[in-house]
Amino acid sequence: GDSSVALQAQEEIIEMKDVFSVKLKRRRFAGQKKGGTLLGITIFKCLNKEENKLTDCAIHLNNLSEDHCQSWFSHLKEILNGFQSRPKSLKVFVNPSSHKRDATHIYYEKVAPLFKLADIKTDVTVTEYEGHALSVLKECELQAFDGVICVGGDGSVSEVAHGLLLRAQIDAGKDTDYVSKPVRAPVPLGVIPAGTTNILAHTLYGIKHAVTATLHIVLGHIQAVDVCTFSTPSKLLRFGFSAMFGFGARTLALAEKHRWMPSSQRKDFAFIKALADLRPEECELSFLPLQILQEDSHEKDRITLLYLGSKDQWQKIQGHFLNVSIMAIPCLCSMAPRGLAPNTSLNNGSMALIVVQNTSRKEFIKHLKRYTSVKNQFNFPFVETYTVREVKVQPRLKSGPSAKENVCLNAEGNYPWNIDGDLMKEASEVHVRVHPQLIDLYGVNTDDLESSQVTCNCI
């Protein structure tokens, strides 16, 4: 700078695990695309702005020497290329119909610029119909990509996750009609929230924020996650993370019947209508329980799963249930800060089975309201919780004069299921099994990234 101005140098430590791009900085005239006057280099890094929110920022280092800048640029690029979990090529699915139809805007305005800045190549498919992503995943060359990204809501993410795992079974030569021991997904899945509730995004990032999600992907933060298989006795229905039978499924079925309504109005209407028509459903639940023991350790908390009994020692409960939830992940969202299943985690190899017995509408509403607070939503005499690894749900059809009380049934005689926000209809028994760490998701930092530092004197 000007020698007549006294400037004090400030030293700043930059963790290279937080840096996702480095560029040469040049001054160019309008319309000039190449060349220009060299000014120095710019380092782009990730900042923790709030508790879970990530933002990007730029640090400018000024130097007019071409050799000096090239030396720094090459060295920093070499360090960045050493982070093996960071993607260099991604397959992206964008669902333009999600929520307020702003997924396309979110991707091209907030996500794509960060991918470009990080030198990540992308192949983008804007989905045109339900099942489009699934059909593409069955045919595309997945080995050309380091990960698959979904920009959409929970239903879109569930479809892409199902497609990834189904493709893994096909590539491994496995039977896709009945999957007993599924093969792990070949590449990680990234979730950019653009839906209504965005349960999976909230569970991974603690926030609905597209830039936060993108930076976790760019930095290669990977978390292994448990996945469930939902099957009938004869076929695989779906890979997924959570499901509801009863009230939660009927609410979704009502909402799907009123697609002509705006999203928020449709869901409010369906919720109120399902409450007004609140009826229990008679069914039999069979499950294999687990006991979780948490042991204190100086290094970190360890969770040990004890399998109770052999595979033929199932426990059964039968009765009239208002709602049955089966969840392999905590299912956090803005409306449920503790999560729909706070007693489970992303990868502990178990599922939460939450059973709401028949009760009055007033008491059921009290239970639902608890989800929006930090109070224990299960502290009711009519709510039972179990930690399980397998569940079978067998509805009991009524006959005679009381048959009209089968409010769950649709015209075809099928019961609705809410699987990750997608509506599925089945008439027979549904068997749910959890498969530990079956897929990697971009999200929670595994804290095993190599820590490199660069010390910069910034003026």
Side-chain angles (χ1 to χ4, degrees):
D2 191 333
S3 59
S4 64
V5 180
L7 296 176
Q8 185 177 359
Q10 292 180 326
E11 185 176 87
E12 180 178 348
I13 304 296
I14 301 174
E15 291 276 357
M16 285 303 292
K17 67 181 180 63
D18 297 327
V19 174
F20 63 90
S21 182
V22 58
K23 302 289 183 185
L24 290 170
K25 183 172 64 168
R26 298 180 185 274
R27 180 187 291 119
R28 289 173 177 156
F29 297 107
Q32 185 179 0
K33 294 183 179 180
K34 293 184 178 181
T37 305
L38 180 68
L39 301 177
I41 64 172
T42 300
I43 296 172
F44 296 90
K45 63 171 288 191
C46 172
L47 282 177
N48 266 302
K49 203 165 186 180
E50 296 170 9
E51 186 176 354
N52 295 309
K53 191 175 183 179
L54 303 181
T55 58
D56 58 297
C57 73
I59 296 174
H60 303 286
L61 305 178
N62 298 330
N63 194 294
L64 303 182
S65 166
E66 188 85 33
D67 292 340
H68 199 68
C69 287
Q70 283 290 351
S71 176
W72 270 72
F73 176 76
S74 300
H75 183 60
L76 293 177
K77 288 286 286 185
E78 185 179 350
I79 294 174
L80 294 183
N81 290 334
F83 293 115
Q84 297 299 317
S85 64
R86 297 190 179 185
K88 296 176 176 61
S89 179
L90 293 171
K91 176 64 188 174
V92 180
F93 292 97
V94 180
N95 181 3
S97 302
S98 289
H99 191 35
K100 296 179 181 179
R101 302 182 181 274
D102 54 0
T104 307
H105 169 78
I106 287 173
Y107 177 72
Y108 286 107
E109 296 296 322
K110 297 180 179 180
V111 180
L114 288 172
F115 284 165
K116 183 178 180 181
L117 193 60
D119 298 321
I120 298 174
K121 296 178 181 179
T122 57
D123 182 81
V124 181
T125 296
V126 179
T127 57
E128 298 174 2
Y129 52 88
E130 186 177 347
H132 188 181
L134 180 60
S135 62
V136 171
L137 282 169
K138 286 182 177 179
E139 302 296 332
C140 77
E141 299 292 332
L142 276 181
Q143 63 268 25
F145 304 104
D146 300 313
V148 173
I149 309 301
C150 179
V151 187
D154 291 321
S156 304
V157 175
S158 179
E159 180 185 327
V160 173
H162 173 68
L164 263 178
L165 287 163
L166 203 61
R167 174 64 185 271
Q169 314 317 306
I170 294 170
D171 289 347
K174 298 274 187 177
D175 182 8
T176 56
D177 289 331
Y178 182 77
V179 180
S180 58
K181 294 183 179 179
V183 179
R184 284 188 102 245
V187 293
L189 170 62
V191 181
I192 306 293
T196 307
T197 52
N198 302 286
I199 282 174
L200 201 54
H202 272 280
T203 304
L204 287 168
Y205 316 126
I207 191 173
K208 177 190 175 181
H209 189 239
V211 171
T212 295
T214 306
L215 289 172
H216 277 296
I217 295 167
V218 166
L219 293 173
H221 296 167
I222 291 176
Q223 171 70 54
V225 177
D226 300 340
V227 179
C228 302
T229 50
F230 299 89
S231 310
T232 65
S234 60
K235 66 175 180 176
L236 171 72
L237 299 175
R238 188 80 176 237
F239 289 99
F241 303 97
S242 64
M244 284 187 281
F245 175 79
F247 177 80
R250 289 197 301 272
T251 302
L252 179 61
L254 283 168
E256 289 297 313
K257 284 183 179 179
H258 295 80
R259 275 277 175 185
W260 53 271
M261 297 174 68
S263 176
S264 59
Q265 293 180 23
R266 178 173 73 241
K267 293 185 177 181
D268 289 344
F269 166 79
F271 181 79
I272 294 169
K273 174 70 172 167
L275 271 179
D277 297 335
L278 187 64
R279 296 286 190 280
E281 192 60 41
E282 183 180 358
C283 66
E284 181 182 275
L285 302 176
S286 307
F287 57 90
L288 282 172
L290 281 168
Q291 180 182 350
I292 297 183
L293 297 179
Q294 186 156 339
E295 303 173 358
D296 289 329
S297 170
H298 292 296
E299 297 177 1
K300 60 182 178 179
D301 289 341
R302 292 183 299 167
I303 294 179
T304 305
L305 300 181
L306 298 182
Y307 289 79
L308 301 183
S310 61
K311 286 195 173 183
D312 58 353
Q313 291 179 318
W314 289 75
Q315 293 190 19
K316 292 184 180 181
I317 54 175
Q318 187 171 344
H320 293 79
F321 307 126
L322 292 176
N323 192 68
V324 177
S325 298
I326 306 165
M327 299 178 172
I329 62 174
C331 294
L332 300 173
C333 64
S334 58
M335 295 174 288
R338 293 183 72 241
L340 301 180
N343 297 334
T344 190
S345 66
L346 286 169
N347 60 356
N348 67 350
S350 71
M351 300 181 293
L353 171 61
I354 303 159
V355 181
V356 182
Q357 303 273 3
N358 189 24
T359 188
S360 67
R361 185 181 290 107
K362 181 180 178 181
E363 289 299 303
F364 184 64
I365 290 173
K366 283 183 182 179
H367 162 64
L368 295 180
K369 281 185 175 180
R370 284 278 184 93
Y371 281 97
T372 64
S373 69
V374 294
K375 295 180 180 179
N376 184 358
Q377 63 263 45
F378 310 132
N379 190 23
F380 292 93
F382 54 86
V383 179
E384 299 174 8
T385 61
Y386 305 89
T387 301
V388 302
R389 57 184 171 122
E390 290 189 52
V391 181
K392 294 178 181 178
V393 181
Q394 177 66 64
R396 297 298 182 193
L397 291 175
K398 298 175 184 176
S399 59
S402 63
K404 63 181 180 180
E405 294 180 12
N406 283 320
V407 293
C408 264
L409 285 171
N410 64 5
E412 293 78 32
N414 295 332
Y415 288 84
W417 277 80
N418 181 341
I419 300 180
D420 294 330
D422 266 356
L423 181 65
M424 298 197 73
K425 298 170 184 175
E426 284 302 320
S428 61
E429 172 188 292
V430 174
H431 185 183
V432 187
R433 285 184 293 180
V434 65
H435 304 276
Q437 304 184 20
L438 195 59
I439 192 171
D440 287 330
L441 298 182
Y442 288 109
V444 179
N445 191 352
T446 54
D447 292 325
D448 60 357
L449 296 176
E450 182 182 349
S451 178
S452 302
Q453 291 185 347
V454 175
T455 303
C456 304
N457 290 321
C458 305
I459 297 180

